[in-house]
Amino acid sequence: KEVVHFFDTDSTNNEAKKLAADGAVEGTIVVSEAQNSGRGRLSRGFFSPASKGIWLSVILRPSFAPQHASKCTLVTAVAVTKAIEKFTGIRCGIKWPNDIFYEGKKLVGILTEMNAEMDAVNYIVIGIGINVNIAQAEFPEELQRIATSLQAISGNAIERKELLSQVLVELESAYLEILKNGFLHILNEWKTYSITLGQAVNVIGIDQTFSGIAKDIDEDGALLVETENGVERVLAGDVSIRP
Ligand code: BTN
């Protein structure tokens, strides 16, 4: 397996997609010290300053059907949360589908992109951004109150390389588990880390906006929200927890 390292790039997900299109093998990873156009979900940017985080993309070529790909995002969130807990002792929570939070602030973002033809996955790129050694004051104004880092939480600088290897160990074991036994076990683990379930939420979907109580996730990883008009199933979109 190959590790591709950059000092600067636009986005490790973009680099990984190019490598995957050129035939890179499953398990190839791309890391960069900095990203000058890091991307988040829903066309947002992602703050990725030099040498202060883990900006990582992983190429997978699973044999399962494309509709299972969105669950890889939940699986990744569980793996990264576990790696952080093992390596630093900090227990974070997961906001559906895949943001990792600590005390109301975002610590990790995950962006999964897929290329599929017909009924087969060609490749999946899982992009993971972990805020590691960013001092609270270094976040841009608009992120000050909504983002945090492991250093800001623990007061200590964290060894990025070792955390990265712990993340890769957890990812590999989670991936092998879903290939062997399916998603059920890890979806159940996801529930134990969830900060969304049981909460009042606002959902901004693709063509509708509504509020309700987040009740559960189903076997596809979709969020089930109880509303005045019955249970809505949310597969994509922006879910905010109401204060
Ligand atoms: C989100 O918070 O909406 C997802 C953020 C994902 C950020 C990671 S950093 C590595 C990879 N490259 C990108 O451009 N984005 C992902």
Side-chain angles (χ1 to χ4, degrees):
K1 290 178 190 127
E2 212 186 335
V3 176
V4 181
H5 175 267
F6 291 90
F7 287 99
D8 196 10
T9 179
D10 55 347
S11 151
T12 56
N13 266 32
N14 294 353
E15 295 292 350
K17 285 197 283 185
K18 278 187 239 160
L19 290 168
D22 287 345
V25 296
E26 168 161 274
T28 300
I29 68 166
V30 180
V31 284
S32 186
E33 296 299 325
Q35 297 183 114
N36 53 56
S37 238
R39 292 187 290 110
R41 287 174 71 234
L42 309 167
S43 313
R44 294 176 182 140
F46 193 79
F47 179 58
S48 326
S51 308
K52 302 214 160 180
I54 294 176
W55 323 128
L56 160 73
S57 299
V58 182
I59 297 172
L60 298 179
R61 297 189 186 275
S63 52
F64 51 65
Q67 72 259 29
H68 296 297
S70 65
K71 286 188 293 241
C72 286
T73 286
L74 283 81
V75 171
T76 303
V78 171
V80 174
T81 302
K82 277 190 184 171
I84 289 173
E85 189 172 16
K86 285 190 186 165
F87 190 67
T88 67
I90 298 167
R91 185 171 168 106
C92 301
I94 305 174
K95 182 168 92 66
W96 186 89
N98 56 8
D99 285 337
I100 300 180
F101 270 67
Y102 183 82
E103 291 185 348
K105 290 179 171 173
K106 182 154 144 180
L107 180 67
V108 178
I110 298 169
L111 176 68
T112 301
E113 299 182 274
M114 176 174 62
N115 179 290
E117 281 159 52
M118 308 284 279
D119 281 336
V121 176
N122 182 10
Y123 62 79
I124 297 177
V125 167
I126 299 181
I128 304 167
I130 309 176
N131 299 333
V132 184
N133 293 325
I134 306 176
Q136 197 62 43
E138 289 175 315
F139 282 106
E141 177 69 36
E142 67 277 15
L143 298 180
Q144 279 294 335
R145 286 177 332 136
I146 55 173
T148 190
S149 78
L150 290 172
Q151 181 187 301
I153 296 166
S154 69
N156 304 311
I158 307 286
E159 194 44 68
R160 284 182 305 148
K161 235 169 148 173
E162 293 187 2
L163 176 59
L164 172 61
S165 52
Q166 185 84 49
V167 166
L168 295 174
V169 165
E170 293 296 332
L171 263 181
E172 176 159 33
S173 96
Y175 185 56
L176 295 176
E177 154 80 20
I178 57 170
L179 291 183
K180 190 158 164 255
N181 300 320
F183 286 92
L184 198 66
H185 175 69
I186 297 213
L187 291 181
N188 281 330
E189 268 189 298
W190 183 95
K191 294 182 195 181
T192 69
Y193 288 108
S194 164
I195 56 171
T196 306
L197 298 183
Q199 302 289 322
V201 292
N202 292 324
V203 180
I204 303 175
I206 293 150
D207 45 24
Q208 51 171 353
T209 298
F210 57 88
S211 308
I213 308 287
K215 284 289 186 188
D216 203 356
I217 52 169
D218 68 12
E219 68 280 2
D220 296 322
L223 187 67
L224 303 177
V225 180
E226 192 173 87
T227 73
E228 295 176 325
N229 309 316
V231 176
E232 298 275 354
R233 195 167 166 268
V234 186
L235 254 175
D238 206 15
V239 172
S240 55
I241 298 168
R242 279 188 271 152

